[in-house]
Amino acid sequence: MNAPLNIAMPVEASAAPKTYQLLIDGKHVESRDGRTLERSSPGHGFTVSRYAQAGEAEVEAAVQAAHNAFETGPWPRMKATERAAILLKAADLIEAQLEDIARLDALESGKPIAQARGEIGGAVDIWRYAAALARTLHGESYANLGDAMLGVVLREPIGVVSIITPWNFPFLIVSQKLPFALAAGCTAVVKPSEMTSASTFVLGDILMQAGLPNGVVNILAGLGGDVGAPMVSHPLVEMVSFTGSTRVGKMTMASAASSLKKVSMELGGKNGQIVFPDADLTAAADAAVFGGFFNAGECCNAGSRLIVHKAIADDFLLAVKALTAKVTVGDPLDDRTKVGAMISSDHLTKVAGYVTAAASDGSSVYSGGKQLASNAGQYLDPTIIRDVTEDMAIAREEVFGPVLSVLTFESIEKALHIANNTPYGLSAGVWSASIDTCMLVARNVRSGTVWVNTFMEGYPELPFGGYKQSGLGRELGKRAVEDYTEEKTIQFHRGQRTGWWVG
Ligand code: NAD
């Protein structure tokens, strides 16, 4: 029996919680009915933040502000260089506040501080990339339509965008959307998760400080039904950019359909890492542990299914288990922590329920599987489950916790079948020294990203998104700004028009 985790109380625990007001039309405001939401640190158990809680009236005010800023404000009409300058200034300000923002995300989400720093650093890079793209956005021209015609295709900002984000990467995910929408000249209403809104409010302040005109970005804290739903159905909103669960994504798409809004959906995943006997098994074992337990498995990209060749399964799993034993679980604010707290006790119960159900379905808990005793917060032991078969819920559903399910194969066809036998299609990994094997898997896995002899790397240059029920559309990459535009075709005719219809 291990000693209980000893979680140190940070200085924030003895101070009053930080408070955040809504950002509407460049002003900080309370909600009209004075309601607030509180967020406790899942790693420590004290109240970290208190936000003004928006409702339908605040959605109306925020959408109206974004609409006015779009219709009559300077933002969509500015030169791209001017928009880029503001995005670059924002990136510098984010970088200057990196430590504070990382600490807020670690406190509110329970993620390890060292990892949070990496995410905010990654976000800075994305803001800079989006600023560069602002200046490359362009349309097309057609001078091949005859002497009298010139066709011009403009890219115009689509309008007001509703941006809705989840709790697992609070600052990073808003940074995969907002800077590209802004680069295109759009205006936005942003709703972070009700559990992790603080860093998005800090971003709002940074944007105002960087010189963003009032009303271009409006930020609302609140619940999905009260705030997210009207942000999707509002007639003045032209596009919805949503990241979250497939379940809510489907509801959001259905609601957006009533006014035929454009939607971009980044949803759940049930990603497989396939390991062949000729792989660098030391690197593959490390990636298996990383894929399974990074961000406590609360990650759309988690490599939650380890699909390993039968011939090496026993030895490989021994190596994975030995590495798992070295994963430091504990205080999110400790620099050495690799796996922090679970987002909520409800979620921990749900994840633990999957482990219990897997055991009664016939699989075996090979490592972990228990909630860890601690003086504060809620922590789950990184868990490996063996003898999983494709029909089990643990192999099919997104568990969203530190739980690695192990399935085995004997042929490449079977490995591909297992990898694809899920309604999701976000990402996959393949480990082999053979280019033929890697290429065959990479070409035949139905997912938006395939990592070959590496796992879960990300770059702003590379598009990211899901096949099947993992999403719709792509974020990042060189077309990320185009996604927030409409195309307008203009046909110029010179001289007297010939070929009269009646005449
Ligand atoms: P969630 O779907 O419960 O919530 C996401 C957001 O939607 C939150 O802000 C929530 O308040 C809001 N929401 C809830 N109900 C709504 C409604 N009726 N209308 C509009 N908005 C509503 O997801 P979560 O639990 O916050 O996040 C975890 C999920 O997100 C996982 O499924 C994970 O895979 C997914 N995710 C996907 C990616 C990706 O890039 N594909 C990245 C991160 C997380």
Side-chain angles (χ1 to χ4, degrees), residues 40-329:
S40 292
S41 161
H44 308 91
F46 68 92
T47 307
V48 187
S49 324
R50 187 170 293 136
Y51 335 112
Q53 181 179 356
E56 213 156 327
E58 286 76 21
V59 174
E60 186 56 42
V63 172
Q64 201 60 59
H67 177 70
N68 294 344
F70 188 78
E71 289 293 311
T72 57
W75 189 252
R77 294 160 192 86
M78 273 182 190
K79 289 180 187 164
T81 48
E82 294 169 322
R83 281 204 293 268
I86 291 179
L87 299 184
L88 289 172
K89 181 88 197 298
D92 290 347
L93 291 167
I94 296 167
E95 199 166 43
Q97 294 182 44
L98 186 148
E99 188 61 30
D100 291 347
I101 300 171
R103 201 167 166 94
L104 279 178
D105 271 3
L107 279 169
E108 289 200 333
S109 73
K111 69 172 68 241
I113 183 74
Q115 180 195 314
R117 286 187 194 113
E119 288 169 24
I120 313 309
V124 170
D125 194 31
I126 297 175
W127 279 84
R128 290 187 177 138
Y129 179 66
L133 286 188
R135 300 184 62 178
T136 67
L137 182 68
H138 63 277
E140 294 167 354
S141 61
Y142 290 85
N144 58 352
L145 309 171
D147 254 8
M149 282 300 297
L150 175 65
V152 176
V153 184
L154 303 184
R155 287 252 171 216
E156 296 187 331
I158 193 167
V160 176
V161 183
S162 279
I163 292 179
I164 300 177
T165 60
W167 47 260
N168 58 343
F169 295 95
F171 198 87
L172 186 61
I173 288 177
V174 71
S175 299
Q176 290 182 186
K177 300 174 182 296
L178 187 56
F180 300 100
L182 293 176
C186 293
T187 62
V189 179
V190 182
K191 189 196 100 58
S193 164
E194 54 275 24
M195 291 193 272
T196 54
S197 303
S199 61
T200 303
F201 281 118
V202 173
L203 176 61
D205 289 347
I206 283 174
L207 289 170
M208 300 313 293
Q209 212 184 322
L212 197 75
N214 290 350
V216 173
V217 170
N218 305 273
I219 301 174
L220 304 175
L223 304 179
D226 294 352
V227 177
M231 277 171 63
V232 172
S233 59
H234 200 292
L236 294 179
V237 170
E238 298 292 346
M239 175 173 171
V240 177
S241 177
F242 175 89
T243 298
S245 61
T246 296
R247 183 185 67 82
V248 178
K250 286 178 183 173
M251 284 160 50
T252 301
M253 254 185 94
S255 163
S258 65
S259 48
L260 219 66
K261 291 178 176 45
K262 182 171 182 178
V263 292
S264 160
M265 295 276 147
E266 296 289 340
L267 309 176
K270 188 72 191 174
N271 318 296
Q273 287 209 70
I274 308 177
V275 183
F276 288 89
D278 64 346
D280 173 346
L281 294 176
T282 309
D286 187 71
V289 176
F290 170 59
F293 308 134
F294 168 75
N295 211 48
E298 294 169 335
C299 179
C300 55
N301 263 330
S304 54
R305 292 181 304 152
L306 183 58
I307 305 169
V308 57
H309 196 285
K310 231 176 203 159
I312 54 161
D314 287 340
D315 288 347
F316 186 69
L317 287 180
L318 276 176
V320 171
K321 187 176 182 172
L323 285 177
T324 301
K326 289 193 200 166
V327 172
T328 323
V329 183

